[in-house]
Amino acid sequence: MSKTIYVDVAVVGGAGGGLAAAIGAREAGAEKVVILEKQKMLGGTTMVSTGIFGVGSRAQKRLSAKEFTADEAFLDFMKVNNWQVDAKLVRDYINASGENIDWMEDMGVHFDCVTPCYGLEDRTWPTFHGVIRKRQRTGTVLVRTMRQRVANLGVDVRLQTKAEHLVTNDAGEVAGVTCTDLVTGEEYTVMAKGGVILATGTFTNNKEMMKRFCPQDDLENIKIMGAFPHCTGDGIAMGEEVGAVTGTIGHLWIGPHNHGANCSEITCFLTR
């Protein structure tokens, strides 16, 4: 019989989103928090990030001469996507973005540049927060800082552990998650009385999901910068299994990038 462990909050995915979720859960009072990460290390694609979006942050006010408000960012985003995405979700994301940057600075990340997006300086505003001193990569600094915070808070980190299926109770509420230890093959269940947070990231290496969520685009010959082997949309599949509703993707930009020959970057926003 497989074992069961009991926690307050279970976080599926140990990249930037999952690390932030686990830290937030502990700071909000959850005593037992576990991160389930299928890779051998924490960080995921966040590790290769060169910057992070934010409007109204202390760093933006400190480092940028141009003022750009959350209202302006919201209208700009919605116009680019022809108002075909979830306006409330976009609004919530943008409104909280500055506070998220401030939260990371309070944790020890010091952003020392705020610029427009690289390659689109004439069409974007200074919302791109980065760490450039000593030629550091912003994502590496973010992950290193949050990883240390996770350790200090006593979060239970389980690497090479793949979440498989969400567990629901009689009322249909998500109450836990089944997982597999990829080293030993052991299967067990994590029951989380405070909820399960899906932070597994993108699906850029899942061709079926790419076609399903991006039917309007021919992506067959586009090499996507973030299509790493582990980006398979696990959390989306798990959510759909228990009835979660998925939505559309709004493409911000598809074009040449400086990450190698024939390599393009697709920037997208999933609303669900």
Side-chain angles (χ1 to χ4, degrees), residues 6-246:
Y6 297 88
V7 300
D8 293 315
V9 176
V11 179
V12 182
L19 290 169
I23 294 168
R26 283 289 286 120
E27 290 179 344
E31 294 185 3
K32 294 183 179 180
V33 178
V34 62
I35 294 176
L36 307 173
E37 169 56 53
K38 69 180 181 181
Q39 297 294 104
K40 293 181 180 180
M41 62 184 291
L42 296 170
T45 55
T46 305
M47 291 287 289
V48 300
S49 170
T50 55
I52 184 170
F53 170 83
V55 176
S57 68
R58 294 194 302 257
Q60 187 184 44
K61 296 172 184 176
R62 183 174 71 239
L63 298 168
S64 174
K66 292 183 178 181
E67 183 179 358
F68 189 53
T69 68
D71 287 343
E72 290 172 315
F74 171 75
L75 290 174
D76 187 56
F77 187 98
M78 296 305 294
K79 287 178 181 177
V80 168
N81 289 284
N82 297 314
W83 291 82
Q84 296 300 304
V85 290
D86 187 327
K88 184 180 184 304
L89 183 62
V90 172
R91 170 61 85 174
D92 290 345
Y93 168 70
I94 290 175
N95 281 0
S97 63
E99 295 178 4
N100 290 337
I101 297 290
D102 294 345
W103 178 73
M104 283 184 278
E105 285 209 314
D106 290 340
M107 204 183 306
V109 178
H110 179 70
F111 294 96
D112 53 13
C113 72
V114 179
T115 66
C117 289
Y118 301 137
L120 293 173
E121 288 84 357
D122 60 332
R123 285 176 283 170
T124 59
W125 292 86
T127 59
F128 192 76
H129 292 63
V131 179
I132 60 174
R133 64 187 182 279
K134 298 181 180 179
R135 293 192 173 186
Q136 299 181 92
R137 184 175 285 273
T138 303
T140 303
V141 176
L142 294 175
V143 170
R144 183 171 64 235
T145 302
M146 288 194 287
R147 189 170 56 204
Q148 185 60 55
R149 179 65 172 157
V150 159
N152 292 344
L153 290 171
V155 174
D156 181 2
V157 176
R158 301 189 176 218
L159 301 177
Q160 293 183 276
T161 301
K162 186 178 185 301
E164 303 285 0
H165 306 281
L166 294 173
V167 177
T168 57
N169 59 24
D170 293 339
E173 302 165 331
V174 174
V177 56
T178 63
C179 53
T180 302
D181 185 318
L182 299 179
V183 176
T184 65
E186 179 187 16
E187 298 178 355
Y188 58 96
T189 301
V190 177
M191 298 301 293
K193 64 181 180 181
V196 177
I197 299 174
L198 296 177
T200 58
T202 187
F203 53 81
T204 45
N205 202 42
N206 184 320
K207 290 186 177 181
E208 187 277 327
M209 283 191 179
M210 289 294 291
K211 290 179 180 178
R212 184 153 61 94
F213 287 108
C214 309
Q216 71 275 27
D217 296 299
D218 181 8
L219 304 176
E220 190 65 32
N221 297 314
I222 291 181
K223 182 180 180 182
I224 300 174
M225 184 179 66
F228 296 102
H230 63 275
C231 298
T232 51
D234 298 355
I236 295 172
M238 292 168 60
E240 288 187 322
E241 280 184 346
V242 296
V245 177
T246 53

